[in-house]
Amino acid sequence: MKKLIVLTLCLMTLNQSAWAWARQGHATIAKIAENHLTPKAKKQIAKYLHGKSIVAYASYADDYKNRLPVDLGFEPTDWKRVTTYPHTFEANDDCTPYRGIERDGKYVKNCIYYIEKFAEDLRHPENLTDSARIMHIALIVHFVGDMHCPEHIRYPEDQTIGYYNVTFRGKPIRFHTLWDSQVLSIKHPWGFLDTAYLLDCCSPKEIEAITAGTPWDWGTDSARASRHVHEVKEGAVLGMDYILDNLALTESQIRNAGYRLAKLLNEIFG
């Protein structure tokens, strides 16, 4: 397992593939969360991560997307053939997240379900191995970020999560990729520390309002805020106006994810 962790950290510095919010976005979310951890939570998390910051594991779930279920005990031929942990969630007509991972015999991809499951497991850390604790923390850090990315939400009218091409600034690009990376990086072309510094700007009262409720409530809020993003269809022609029109949503989703991640980790460890 130590070799797995070392390899993962190496991949984090070398692999720049675009997943939800890409590396910059996930690192920004983790850094904002870290800024709001209680001393007790920060100390306990550092103990389990062997002194490393949660930022170091922000993209862990992407680096080992296909390997993690096996590492956590799933077999490739298990029930519903779970081969990857879901990085998305499915919303109902009223934008409330579907609760569970099975509907009419179908496996429903639901990262919020796993966020709660891993959080509950970590409330009893003595029952987990050292490597399992690391992975549980890493998956929570990543999935809270994922659930706030507009193109990681599946609606009744659109299950595609943007897996189709549009034209952006004269070039074809997968719409999912546009939201995963460029909506943030084009207007924030600097490192995650600067991005976190700029976005972490809410008052304690505002943070209290943002973090009210449970991950299911946050999912509803995220789905309602993001639904208009799915009005863009295959073949659409987009320019910088699209980035500017959605910049406030991008920044608020990343900011909210950071504050909510901090609340969840503080409840578990602090």
Side-chain angles (χ1 to χ4, degrees), residues 14-250:
L14 295 174
N15 186 347
Q16 296 300 315
S17 298
W19 289 295
W21 297 132
R23 298 191 183 283
Q24 179 191 8
H26 277 296
T28 300
I29 290 166
K31 182 56 183 174
I32 291 173
E34 190 172 65
N35 292 344
H36 294 271
L37 292 177
T38 65
K40 182 178 179 182
K42 188 176 293 186
K43 181 178 179 180
Q44 194 70 6
I45 292 170
K47 172 186 172 183
Y48 291 141
L49 298 184
H50 302 289
K52 292 191 176 294
S53 164
I54 57 174
V55 177
Y57 291 93
S59 291
Y60 185 100
D62 281 336
D63 293 326
Y64 266 82
K65 182 182 291 187
N66 297 319
R67 173 70 183 273
L68 283 171
V70 176
D71 288 337
L72 289 174
F74 286 97
E75 294 294 334
T77 57
D78 265 357
W79 176 66
K80 300 184 187 61
R81 296 184 63 82
V82 177
T83 55
T84 62
Y85 272 119
H87 294 235
T88 66
F89 74 89
E90 194 168 308
N92 298 312
D93 284 327
D94 61 355
C95 289
T96 58
Y98 178 76
R99 288 177 178 260
I101 56 174
E102 182 182 19
R103 178 165 53 199
D104 300 326
K106 174 189 174 185
Y107 175 56
V108 177
K109 296 180 178 180
N110 191 344
C111 63
I112 303 176
Y113 170 91
Y114 285 104
I115 289 170
E116 286 220 321
K117 180 184 184 302
F118 298 142
E120 182 58 29
D121 289 346
L122 285 168
R123 290 185 174 96
H124 306 281
E126 68 280 0
N127 297 330
L128 299 172
T129 64
D130 180 64
S131 58
R133 284 193 293 264
I134 292 172
M135 284 196 287
H136 277 54
I137 295 170
L139 290 170
I140 287 176
V141 169
H142 190 85
F143 287 170
V144 170
D146 276 352
M147 67 177 281
H148 286 82
C149 185
E151 281 302 327
H152 277 244
I153 304 171
R154 301 173 186 270
Y155 296 89
E157 72 276 13
D158 182 13
Q159 295 276 313
T160 66
I161 58 171
Y163 273 35
Y164 49 80
N165 282 346
V166 298
T167 298
F168 176 63
R169 303 174 81 177
K171 296 181 180 179
I173 185 174
R174 181 180 280 190
F175 189 55
H176 186 99
T177 303
L178 179 65
W179 267 98
D180 273 4
S181 56
Q182 296 194 34
V183 290
L184 175 67
S185 63
I186 285 176
K187 294 301 294 179
H188 292 279
W190 32 73
F192 73 88
L193 289 173
D194 294 316
T195 309
Y197 175 78
L198 291 170
L199 298 187
D200 186 3
C201 58
C202 290
S203 68
K205 187 174 182 180
E206 289 170 327
I207 294 173
E208 184 179 2
I210 290 168
T211 60
T214 70
W216 298 104
D217 299 314
W218 306 339
T220 300
D221 178 71
S222 184
R224 287 174 178 167
S226 303
R227 195 164 199 165
H228 73 276
V229 170
H230 292 247
E231 295 173 0
V232 174
K233 303 304 179 183
E234 185 172 6
V237 179
L238 308 174
M240 273 303 298
D241 285 350
Y242 183 78
I243 300 295
L244 296 174
D245 290 344
N246 287 281
L247 182 61
L249 172 65
T250 302

